[in-house]
Amino acid sequence: MEQATFGAGCFWCVEAVFQNLKGVEKVVSGYTGGRIPNPTYKEVCSGLTGHNEVTQITFDPAQISFEELLEVFWKTHDPTTLNRQGNDVGTQYRSGIYYHNEEQKRLAEAYKQKLNEAHAFESPIVTEIEPLKVFYPAENYHQNYYNLNGSQPYCQFVVKPKVDKVKAVFGEKLKA
């Protein structure tokens, strides 16, 4: 098993996007990139800790590659908006790839360059690509959030469209 760590806005959305892909064993919502150890959700939401809401994905590379995870990452959020995804605004919602090894760094940087050169988005990509220094799991009530709280308005209006997009675009990659 290998791990990938991505920030692409609210971790509830990112978790829901990746957890149903074939080869994904586990997805944990959490925080990285900040200044204080073991931050709480309230501290991260203040925007003062420097942490990003991220998901850490444990996957089987024999079933799904890091490159395939990158493809889902790039196609399920807007990597051109600095410190925001839709109405979620703040440094904790920044787009980021936090690599676990040099190969992930190389692949992420090459994919980002390819997208920018192809003008795949109207604006340049602002996704940060940095080494994962430390990952702090979020509080238990944030884990598996969409599956447990799918009827809540935020889930219906923000998370569900992303999940539906994954089903439509990556249907062949979904678990049965």
Side-chain angles (χ1 to χ4, degrees):
M1 290 292 179
E2 293 183 19
Q3 290 186 317
T5 304
F6 298 132
C10 174
F11 49 31
W12 298 340
C13 294
V14 185
E15 176 189 68
V17 160
F18 285 96
Q19 68 187 162
N20 292 317
L21 296 174
K22 289 180 205 168
V24 171
E25 182 73 23
K26 180 170 74 168
V27 181
V28 178
S29 291
Y31 317 106
T32 196
R35 295 178 288 283
I36 66 169
N38 300 305
T40 65
Y41 182 67
K42 185 176 180 179
E43 290 170 332
V44 172
C45 284
S46 76
L48 300 175
T49 68
H51 285 90
N52 193 5
E53 287 191 15
V54 298
T55 56
Q56 191 159 81
I57 301 156
T58 302
F59 66 99
D60 178 354
Q63 294 185 49
I64 190 165
S65 68
F66 182 71
E67 294 96 324
E68 289 172 296
L69 294 175
L70 283 173
E71 181 183 10
V72 174
F73 169 81
W74 294 117
K75 289 184 178 177
T76 55
H77 81 293
D78 181 352
T80 69
T81 54
L82 186 62
N83 300 328
R84 81 174 303 146
Q85 285 298 304
N87 290 329
D88 292 330
V89 179
T91 58
Q92 69 270 28
Y93 301 117
R94 65 190 180 269
S95 177
I97 299 169
Y98 304 95
Y99 58 87
H100 292 249
N101 56 53
E102 288 301 311
E103 178 68 2
Q104 285 186 359
K105 176 185 178 183
R106 185 186 68 74
L107 291 168
E109 288 176 345
Y111 208 135
K112 179 180 175 179
Q113 182 179 347
K114 180 179 160 186
L115 290 172
N116 272 328
E117 288 173 356
H119 303 287
F121 298 96
E122 288 184 27
S123 301
I125 293 171
V126 297
T127 303
E128 62 185 18
I129 299 173
E130 298 183 0
L132 178 71
K133 292 182 178 104
V134 64
F135 172 78
Y136 300 104
E139 297 83 349
N140 283 339
Y141 69 93
H142 291 296
Q143 309 304 328
N144 199 30
Y145 194 85
Y146 177 70
N147 290 331
L148 297 173
N149 302 281
S151 62
Q152 289 190 357
Y154 183 90
C155 290
Q156 284 296 301
F157 292 108
V158 180
V159 184
K160 186 177 183 309
K162 290 180 181 272
V163 171
D164 290 345
K165 181 176 184 178
V166 169
K167 287 178 184 174
V169 176
F170 299 105
E172 76 286 351
K173 294 184 188 313
L174 296 177
K175 295 173 184 171

